Amino acid sequence: MSLLHSTMSRRSFLRASAGATAAAAALGLAGCSGAEAPARRADDDGALAIASDASVIGGEGEWVPIHCHQNCNQMCLNMGYVVDGVVVRQKTDDAREDRFDCPQQRGCLRGRSLRQQVYNADRIKYPMKRKHWQPGGGAGAHGELRGKDEWERIGWDEALDYVTDELKRVYAEYGQDAVICNGWRWAPASAMFPVIGGAVYNTETESFGCWAFQTEALGLYSHGDHPDLMMGPDKYDLPNADTIVLYGCNPAWAQHSSMYWLNNAKEAGTEFVYVGPSYNVSAAQLGARWIRVRPGTDTAFLLAVIHEMIRLDDERGDVIDWDFVNERTVGFTPETMPDDAADDENFRDYVLGAYDGQPKTPEWASEICGTPVEDIAWYAELAGKNNKVVFFHSYAASRYLGAENLPQAFMTVSALGGHYGKSGHGSAAIYTWDAGDSGYRLIQHAGGDYGYIDNLVGSPGATGPNRCIEGNSWWSSLAEGRYLSTSAGPYDLGSGDDPAKLRANTPTYHEAREMPVNPRLLFQTNSNFMQTRGNLPTAIEVMRAADTCISLEIKFSLTAQFADIILPVATHWEGNDDEAWGELCWPSPFGDGNGQKQRKDALLAWRPLVKPMYEAREEKRICRDIIERMGFDPDEAYPKSNYDQWLGYFLGMRELSSDLSRWEPVITWTAADNEKHGADYPEQEGKVGFDEFMAQGSYVVERSADDRRNYVGYRDDKLGIGGDGTSVTVADPAWPRPSRSGKLEIYCQFKADNVNRVGLNPEPIKPYANYFVPNRGYQETFSDWGAKAKGPYPLQAYTPHYMRRAHTCYDNMTWTQEAFANPVFMNAQDAEERGIAAGDTVACYNEFGRMLRRAQPLHGMMPGTVAIPHGVRTLLDESDPERIVDRGGSEQMLSDGQQSNYFPQVDGYNSLLIEIEKYDGEPLPADCDRGPFLAPGIDAEDTSAYTVRGIYENEEA
């Protein structure tokens, strides 16, 4: 029995009237329609909305839980109402009363607009070949036309023949150095390459910036590659803090669910402080005090805070928690130096200027970071031991070149005040599912026979050592035909020195080695690297120089636009488990490549809602076909079906009992369930039946203020699940820490030795958080720092996450485009000096490229700073080939392959130095008026932004 259409017959689903009715309902989505959309009567939208509402009221379909599938990692619940095979309405969680102890799992505006993505006219509908591309490389590839050419529709067999023939040719002629996995190394398709011949991958810290720099060597915790996560107090303890510091955080845009917990603390009387270059919406909503710090200057600011804490403690005492410093840290004083220290430089004396002659005073720092001296002094007072403070950080402040020592400095401020391991105190990341309700998960997976076992690339053994290009240098390395490798595997592989002590984010580095790369075939999978990696001008050159570019895509993204063969991928809304209905298709449970993320106390249901649209196929099915055509066994890459993994994911979930004694199944599963769902999993008694769980959309743990499972970081052990799937283990003890000393390492010899052996920087990094001038930092905005003479690019631009999208995902939805216009935010005084007013089209430029966007001056931004929201879709203007302009406004036009001072794997997304001027050409239209991005030669120019006409065009009526 099919899970997809249990309430509908095949004839009902396919009847001729369904196409017209469903199309009308879905087209009612349009909102702010595309510029090229055909004219409609003014009353059309109202009539269509009424028709859709009537189908819901009349009970013509069913509500189905949605996988909100694209990498914001909030894991919210959305539900879609399916009528005749089309989703006509969406809602979020309303299955239970919203209570603090058992909250609804509400979706944001992105997830609740997902219909506009699934039914967008920019969907890749069929396998396509670029018109003037021919296989074999050389002149016949016509690489100069990539990004400009028209497209031809081809069949699946022809498309897969092109792909496999080119793979075979490139492997034979050039070897694996010529095959580039142009996407995440943990994406589903990345498992294909070790089976068929290998590839060159990337390794980078992505969202985590320099916070992923030697995480566990410092004594911090890393959940996989997520540094300093799950270590803050949970939602019940936040109101016990006098003050919560949000360091570089904007959860209202980036982790919206955490605002629930933060607002609860505010209502209880907790005060808030925000640190960063702009007074953002989260700070404003929480009434936070603003501590101004220029982009990328945080280490200088924190060193001055530490200097002030030392001064205040020396003068009057009772500022530094000496009991905590002496018992739980190493390296602050001569008396607390670690056993493995290679020299006698302690951090306290460094801050006081004993080793370099420069005391790190507030006056010294203020010139660099722009923070008023009195604010530095106030923050030092706040950090003192007698104040109950939770220090939360995002990773934004560490996504700069030269931010390597920020995590250690941040940790040191918290440690000096003793803000670890006590109620009302804390120091940790606030990020994705963990944001604002931290600690170990109360629902965990038992693994074993229920586990997810695709062979994703996570170790050097998959493709050989040193097969990863590091950090910002992706496109520049591909262009140069060589890259420098500093570790055998990815940055988050862990250290072989002492696996019991040093795990994630602490690899053993070696002296930098030059490795060859020859990008003849680029394979895009589960990503949009042209739009998400810096250095877009060089990316254009690399893509046009290749023999073959293959793209597996949902929509006509920029990277797909530059491909030669595009293969249409189904979304997580689409699937089929009944051969009588056509091709089998079931989405991967981990389809965003980032894992099925979940909040600590909730398990969200999802399943496909509708049949695969057009000729789209599931990504792993495509890769299995490629592997088989290459003459290999697909089961080596994908040993377990998506359907089995999907069921196993839910059935393997266990809830920690309230007395902490055992893990209990969440889902009840019976023999009848096995028969109904074509499975063979063991029967079990859980909290909720499988079908009831799917109908409600989620299961949420009932909690309370006196729950023994509540958590305070560094006080409580993290509890895990034993190999038997029932017993309770200590997954991560509060103490000792995973560092070599078992303490928080203010002085970390492993850090210094590990990094300095790379040999890329002639000036060794110190074992403590020393200051150095960062690459592409504030100082480089001056042509003469001593004279304070500004250079040609005097503005520091950074790239915040933006509410209307997650990275580049969701950016094609006109509802959210209309609600969030995506301007370039700049300081009001800087704008006035340049004759720029709100709404003006401006050119942002530097020596690397130029892009256009509308401007929005703000008084709540520091002078000299610019915020360019990350992830907007590029629209290239190549009317002057020597001066390409991005009329879409991507920040990726403004960077190159510059790597960080010591940590080559970091992405310096926020290290942009630019100038802005008022644009004297035709003003830009609003994004929602621009119309969809369509494939020339396939999609008609007047196609409406949203449509369901033809999605099942090969079906009988």
Side-chain angles (χ1 to χ4, degrees):
M1 177 179 179
S2 173
L3 280 173
L4 289 178
H5 305 292
S6 57
T7 63
M8 291 173 261
S9 69
R10 177 173 170 81
R11 177 61 57 183
S12 171
F13 172 70
L14 297 173
R15 68 181 184 269
S17 63
T21 302
L27 282 169
L29 298 166
C32 184
S33 61
E36 302 295 330
R40 297 179 299 178
R41 296 197 316 272
D43 61 347
D44 277 356
D45 281 349
L48 299 174
I50 291 170
S52 299
D53 290 342
S55 68
V56 179
I57 295 170
E60 298 175 21
E62 63 176 333
W63 287 105
V64 182
I66 292 170
H67 189 304
C68 196
H69 51 267
Q70 291 191 314
N71 199 19
C72 77
N73 292 330
Q74 284 284 284
M75 284 311 298
C76 309
L77 176 59
N78 289 285
M79 304 285 284
Y81 197 74
V82 184
V83 179
D84 292 332
V86 174
V87 180
V88 300
R89 277 289 179 268
Q90 281 186 239
K91 68 175 182 177
T92 189
D93 190 2
D94 61 1
R96 66 181 57 82
E97 178 188 359
D98 186 42
R99 295 181 291 110
F100 191 81
D101 292 339
C102 191
Q104 293 176 349
Q105 307 296 298
R106 295 177 183 172
C108 74
L109 80 167
R110 295 182 297 246
R112 295 170 77 167
S113 305
L114 266 172
R115 284 180 300 158
Q116 292 198 337
Q117 183 188 70
V118 174
Y119 297 122
N120 202 293
D122 70 358
R123 281 291 300 268
I124 304 298
K125 304 169 182 66
Y126 326 104
M128 299 192 301
K129 171 187 170 295
R130 187 166 61 81
K131 183 175 182 179
H132 291 96
W133 174 82
Q134 294 299 322
H142 288 289
E144 74 281 358
L145 295 179
R146 288 194 182 103
K148 309 173 187 178
D149 214 345
E150 294 187 343
W151 295 88
E152 300 171 338
R153 179 177 176 178
I154 59 177
W156 269 105
D157 282 340
E158 183 179 3
L160 291 172
D161 283 344
Y162 277 127
V163 172
T164 53
D165 287 349
E166 281 297 276
L167 281 166
K168 290 175 182 177
R169 179 187 68 82
V170 171
Y171 278 131
E173 293 182 13
Y174 303 105
Q176 70 167 325
D177 293 341
V179 177
I180 309 301
C181 181
N182 198 25
W184 309 114
R185 58 183 170 80
W186 32 254
S190 68
M192 174 180 71
F193 292 105
V195 176
I196 65 174
V200 175
Y201 293 83
N202 82 313
T203 176
E204 56 197 319
T205 62
E206 299 141 13
S207 299
F208 312 124
C210 286
W211 231 283
F213 181 60
Q214 311 287 286
T215 308
E216 295 195 336
L218 299 178
L220 303 175
Y221 174 76
S222 190
H223 181 72
D225 61 350
H226 291 50
D228 208 19
L229 203 67
M230 301 169 72
M231 294 302 292
D234 69 16
K235 65 181 184 181
Y236 288 100
D237 195 58
L238 292 182
N240 294 326
D242 296 329
T243 306
I244 294 176
V245 173
L246 297 176
Y247 201 107
C249 305
N250 191 6
W253 278 5
Q255 294 96 31
H256 71 275
S257 64
S258 64
M259 293 301 288
Y260 193 173
W261 325 128
L262 297 175
N263 275 313
N264 181 68
K266 178 186 176 184
E267 291 170 4
T270 300
E271 296 184 342
F272 285 81
V273 175
Y274 169 73
V275 182
S278 65
Y279 195 70
N280 60 38
V281 294
S282 301
Q285 199 279 325
L286 294 166
R289 174 167 177 163
W290 182 21
I291 303 297
R292 301 161 178 81
V293 177
R294 289 190 180 109
T297 65
D298 301 273
T299 301
F301 165 73
L302 292 170
L303 288 173
V305 169
I306 294 166
H307 185 282
E308 190 69 1
M309 292 179 75
I310 294 170
R311 184 187 69 80
L312 291 170
D313 193 78
D314 286 346
E315 286 183 0
R316 67 169 192 254
D318 225 23
V319 173
I320 294 175
D321 186 338
W322 287 106
D323 288 339
F324 184 87
V325 169
N326 292 329
E327 294 173 13
R328 297 297 195 186
T329 75
V330 295
F332 184 60
T333 63
E335 296 77 21
T336 59
M337 293 296 286
D339 293 339
D340 63 350
D343 58 48
D344 58 359
E345 291 187 5
N346 67 83
F347 186 56
R348 183 182 187 278
D349 286 346
Y350 166 75
V351 171
L352 296 177
Y355 309 129
D356 60 4
Q358 176 58 68
K360 309 306 180 289
T361 62
E363 292 76 13
W364 164 83
S366 182
E367 183 181 33
I368 299 168
C369 65
T371 312
V373 168
E374 57 271 23
D375 281 355
I376 297 174
W378 180 88
Y379 194 89
E381 290 270 14
L382 174 71
K385 73 172 191 175
N386 291 324
N387 298 316
K388 298 176 71 174
V389 186
V390 173
F391 293 92
F392 277 138
H393 66 83
S394 73
Y395 302 122
S398 71
R399 297 183 198 126
Y400 290 90
L401 305 178
E404 282 87 343
N405 280 334
L406 168 58
Q408 197 174 18
F410 187 93
M411 175 194 77
T412 301
V413 170
S414 301
L416 294 184
H419 299 295
Y420 288 94
K422 297 183 291 189
S423 175
H425 300 254
S427 181
I430 182 170
Y431 180 73
T432 64
W433 74 88
D434 183 62
D437 190 19
S438 197
Y440 59 87
R441 287 173 169 165
L442 307 184
I443 297 178
Q444 297 186 21
H445 199 273
D449 292 339
Y450 297 103
Y452 174 82
I453 53 175
D454 286 354
N455 292 327
L456 299 182
V457 176
S459 68
T463 52
N466 303 105
R467 306 302 307 168
C468 295
I469 297 175
E470 299 174 353
N472 268 6
S473 67
W474 177 254
W475 292 113
S476 58
S477 294
L478 293 177
E480 294 168 7
R482 63 185 183 89
Y483 61 95
L484 292 176
S485 176
T486 62
S487 64
Y491 81 91
D492 55 344
L493 178 63
S495 171
D497 287 19
D498 186 355
K501 285 282 189 181
L502 303 173
R503 303 186 297 276
N505 296 342
T506 309
T508 300
Y509 295 114
H510 55 62
E511 185 177 0
R513 299 170 188 168
E514 184 172 303
M515 300 292 293
V517 62
N518 181 16
R520 306 315 326 144
L521 186 150
L522 287 88
F523 193 103
Q524 176 212 353
T525 167
N526 205 270
S527 64
N528 186 8
F529 263 21
M530 288 189 75
Q531 205 73 85
T532 57
R533 291 293 156 272
N535 203 1
L536 179 53
T538 302
I540 295 170
E541 298 174 6
V542 170
M543 296 291 283
R544 286 179 173 164
D547 292 352
T548 303
C549 298
I550 299 160
S551 180
L552 277 61
E553 253 294 9
I554 293 171
K555 64 181 184 294
F556 196 58
S557 67
L558 180 65
T559 313
Q561 181 182 332
F562 274 73
D564 304 311
I565 299 293
I566 307 180
L567 305 178
V569 175
T571 69
H572 272 71
W573 284 36
E574 301 160 66
N576 177 29
D577 63 339
D578 187 348
E579 287 184 302
W581 289 56
E583 275 189 2
L584 295 179
C585 173
W586 202 262
S588 167
F590 300 86
D592 70 352
N594 214 10
Q596 173 77 10
K597 302 297 174 63
Q598 65 183 57
R599 297 176 189 173
K600 66 180 288 183
D601 58 1
L603 178 62
L604 301 190
W606 69 271
R607 64 176 175 87
L609 293 81
V610 298
K611 290 184 64 179
M613 292 164 51
Y614 306 104
E615 295 185 12
R617 291 180 177 176
E618 191 274 323
E619 183 169 353
K620 280 197 278 188
R621 187 277 172 86
I622 297 170
C623 294
R624 289 184 68 91
D625 286 347
I626 293 172
I627 293 171
E628 193 166 342
R629 286 167 179 259
M630 294 285 290
F632 300 97
D633 181 3
D635 288 345
E636 292 186 27
Y638 313 110
K640 193 174 184 179
S641 74
N642 282 347
Y643 184 82
D644 282 346
Q645 290 184 125
W646 172 77
L647 274 179
Y649 174 78
F650 295 118
L651 299 183
M653 285 298 181
R654 304 287 184 263
E655 178 185 340
L656 180 63
S657 63
S658 58
D659 63 1
L660 310 183
S661 67
R662 64 197 178 281
W663 292 90
E664 303 168 333
V666 173
I667 304 296
T668 295
W669 189 254
T670 66
D673 289 322
N674 272 323
E675 182 177 357
K676 178 179 180 179
H677 298 294
D680 189 27
Y681 279 106
E683 297 177 41
Q684 61 185 28
E685 183 67 29
K687 314 291 183 180
V688 60
F690 184 75
D691 290 343
E692 180 186 358
F693 168 65
M694 283 289 160
Q696 291 182 348
S698 68
Y699 172 80
V700 182
V701 176
E702 182 76 33
R703 297 166 63 190
S704 66
D706 57 359
D707 195 327
R708 290 182 61 191
R709 297 169 296 188
N710 293 345
Y711 181 82
V712 172
Y714 299 90
R715 183 193 72 182
D716 304 323
D717 295 336
K718 284 194 184 67
L719 301 183
I721 189 166
D724 59 2
T726 302
S727 60
V728 178
T729 64
V730 175
D732 184 70
W735 301 94
R737 302 309 308 143
S739 61
R740 283 183 164 176
S741 67
K743 301 181 180 183
L744 299 177
E745 298 209 351
I746 295 172
Y747 177 112
C748 181
Q749 192 64 51
F750 181 92
K751 164 202 145 182
D753 294 345
N754 200 22
V755 173
N756 290 333
R757 73 167 62 97
V758 170
L760 293 179
N761 193 322
E763 181 64 32
I765 199 169
K766 294 291 187 177
Y768 44 76
N770 63 303
Y771 179 77
F772 52 84
V773 177
N775 295 336
R776 294 275 158 72
Y778 173 65
Q779 285 90 333
E780 289 191 26
T781 65
F782 295 85
S783 58
D784 186 332
W785 170 254
K788 297 299 181 287
K790 280 290 188 179
Y793 307 113
L795 303 176
Q796 288 185 276
Y798 58 98
T799 61
H801 289 158
Y802 196 49
M803 188 59 179
R804 90 179 194 193
R805 58 181 170 266
H807 302 295
T808 66
C809 302
Y810 308 115
D811 199 47
N812 54 349
M813 304 185 302
T814 53
W815 278 351
T816 54
Q817 288 176 346
E818 188 173 12
F820 289 84
N822 199 112
V824 168
F825 300 99
M826 62 186 303
N827 173 264
Q829 179 180 339
D830 292 336
E832 183 178 1
E833 291 172 356
R834 290 163 173 78
I836 295 169
D840 286 347
T841 298
V842 296
C844 304
Y845 64 93
N846 57 20
E847 66 266 46
F848 310 122
R850 174 177 291 256
M851 65 80 160
L852 307 180
R853 234 16 239 181
R854 291 181 176 183
Q856 178 58 64
L858 296 174
H859 290 283
M861 294 191 67
M862 294 183 72
T865 67
V866 177
I868 306 173
H870 158 61
V872 74
R873 191 4 171 124
T874 283
L875 179 61
L876 294 175
D877 178 352
E878 300 191 63
S879 55
D880 181 355
E882 301 301 316
R883 195 189 193 204
I884 299 175
V885 177
D886 181 3
R887 298 184 66 86
S890 173
E891 76 282 7
Q892 311 299 4
M893 288 294 289
L894 305 174
S895 62
D896 67 345
Q898 174 69 57
Q899 291 182 300
S900 194
N901 298 58
Y902 295 96
F903 188 26
Q905 289 90 346
V906 74
D907 296 291
Y909 298 122
N910 290 329
S911 294
L912 305 178
L913 306 183
I914 69 168
E915 178 57 287
I916 296 181
E917 63 185 13
K918 187 173 180 178
Y919 181 61
D920 59 6
E922 182 180 352
L924 291 176
D927 291 345
C928 65
D929 289 328
R930 188 174 54 196
F933 286 92
L934 304 172
I938 300 293
D939 300 312
E941 290 185 2
D942 62 350
T943 301
S944 298
Y946 306 105
T947 182
V948 296
R949 302 183 196 281
I951 60 175
Y952 303 121
E953 63 179 17
N954 294 324
E955 298 283 5
E956 60 182 271

